[in-house]
Amino acid sequence: MSSGTRTLVSPLTLARPRGKALYWTVFTAVVLLFALAFLFPVYWMVTGAMKSPDEVTRTPPTLVPKAWHLSGYTDAWKLMDLPTHLWNTVVQAAGAWLLQLVFCTAAAYALSKLKPAFGKVILGGILATLMVPAQALVVPKYLTVADLPLIHTSLLNDPLGIWLPAVANAFNLYLLKRFFDQIPRDVLEAAEIDGAGRLRTLWSIVLPMSRPVLGVVSIFALVAVWQDFLWPLMVFSDTDKQPISVALVQLSQNIQLTVLIAAMVIASIPMVLMFLVFQRHIIAGISAGSTKG
């Protein structure tokens, strides 16, 4: 007698028509409840921007707008100058993402495959920064950006004030190193026999094999900058250079609630699109350690 996998419902019960109908009823109900729990807030926010100012604050609330108004979105686009702030956010996120990929990948490759002197000590020091609360680093980081050591220049109101601190991401560096550790040594030795140098091996061999983890790191890097509020608020005192996360708060004082909700919907669209584009990499990144040699 072969032992099968234990499940909540036995195969014998599922083979019966009543058991199968009950199983699929419960399964469908659970899926619908979870879908409703995740999608209803999105629906509420999107339709809330289409209600009138009086209707959006009415008690009890209305599930469907009595009259559909798109003026909330057009007013948010113009009154809150969303194109400027969205572009600021794109520039800041793209620069932080690019620099983080370059430097974190290079550092992770060096620590994993080049085996530098005191490499474990360096890695331990990098990982030790994960134990320091982010709030404790705000003041030292601000003082450094306000008066950059050696060259004594200020990076306030400059995208570099976002880019450079974002490069020092210990978690993403460790994630990349762990993936590089699992790349078979035989693959790298074969590249060395073919005459490839260390940089060529990284570019032509390691990076193409690392697409899943690079996709996950990219998502982490972009989302971290896009949703950050405190650090951009401290760096950018110039309103015209602020990202969307800061601008929504700074400009919301004299704005109608429907216009503010519409602005939040517009600001969330790039993150939703990024998830839809990179969802394949998110799933692949879960099994990033299953590299085959």
Side-chain angles (χ1 to χ4, degrees):
M1 180 178 179
S2 61
S3 58
T5 303
R6 290 182 175 273
T7 58
L8 187 63
V9 183
S10 66
L12 182 61
T13 304
L14 287 178
R16 300 171 183 170
R18 182 178 178 182
K20 185 179 296 186
L22 180 62
Y23 171 79
W24 284 110
T25 301
V26 174
F27 177 78
T28 303
V30 171
V31 171
L32 290 177
L33 286 175
F34 272 94
L36 182 63
F38 282 102
L39 294 179
F40 182 75
V42 178
Y43 165 81
W44 188 259
M45 186 168 62
V46 172
T47 57
M50 299 182 182
K51 298 177 181 179
S52 64
D54 294 333
E55 185 180 1
V56 76
T57 57
R58 182 176 301 172
T59 304
T62 55
L63 290 177
V64 180
K66 294 183 177 180
W68 298 82
H69 303 282
L70 294 177
S71 58
Y73 290 98
T74 56
D75 290 344
W77 189 261
K78 296 177 182 178
L79 296 178
M80 304 190 72
D81 198 13
L82 292 187
T84 299
H85 298 296
L86 284 172
W87 175 248
N88 293 339
T89 311
V90 169
V91 171
Q92 295 166 23
W97 162 74
L98 181 60
L99 291 177
Q100 197 170 133
L101 275 191
V102 172
F103 288 99
C104 286
T105 301
Y109 177 70
L111 292 172
S112 176
K113 298 303 180 183
L114 303 186
K115 304 297 182 182
F118 306 106
K120 293 184 178 180
V121 176
I122 296 172
L123 179 62
I126 293 173
L127 295 180
T129 61
L130 294 175
M131 304 178 189
V132 182
Q135 294 81 357
L137 299 175
V138 171
V139 174
K141 190 163 61 172
Y142 179 81
L143 295 176
T144 302
V145 170
D147 185 13
L148 207 60
L150 300 181
I151 59 177
H152 297 290
T153 185
S154 175
L155 297 182
L156 299 179
N157 289 314
D158 192 313
L160 284 171
I162 301 295
W163 296 349
L164 296 184
V167 173
N169 192 306
F171 178 77
N172 284 345
L173 188 151
Y174 181 70
L175 195 65
L176 288 165
K177 181 189 178 299
R178 289 295 299 170
F179 185 89
F180 293 160
D181 287 342
Q182 299 181 26
I183 295 179
R185 183 64 188 174
D186 297 341
V187 176
L188 304 183
E189 290 177 352
E192 293 176 3
I193 294 174
D194 291 340
R198 293 174 176 177
L199 186 60
R200 181 60 183 271
T201 301
L202 172 63
W203 181 261
S204 301
I205 305 297
V206 176
L207 291 183
M209 298 177 64
S210 306
R211 288 178 182 174
V213 72
L214 291 176
V216 174
V217 168
S218 298
I219 294 172
F220 287 162
L222 291 172
V223 170
V225 176
W226 198 277
Q227 70 178 6
D228 195 9
F229 171 76
L230 178 60
W231 181 242
L233 176 64
M234 298 178 66
V235 172
F236 294 101
S237 59
D238 188 350
T239 306
D240 294 333
K241 296 182 179 180
Q242 290 175 345
I244 191 68
S245 59
V246 178
L248 287 179
V249 177
Q250 299 284 67
L251 302 175
S252 62
Q253 298 177 359
N254 299 320
I255 297 295
Q256 289 183 349
L257 182 58
T258 53
V259 177
L260 180 60
I261 295 174
M264 291 190 291
V265 173
I266 296 173
S268 63
I269 290 176
M271 286 294 96
V272 175
L273 294 178
M274 189 186 70
F275 171 79
L276 295 177
V277 171
F278 285 100
Q279 61 177 336
R280 179 169 59 89
H281 295 283
I282 297 175
I283 298 173
I286 296 176
S287 57
S290 59
T291 306
K292 295 181 180 181

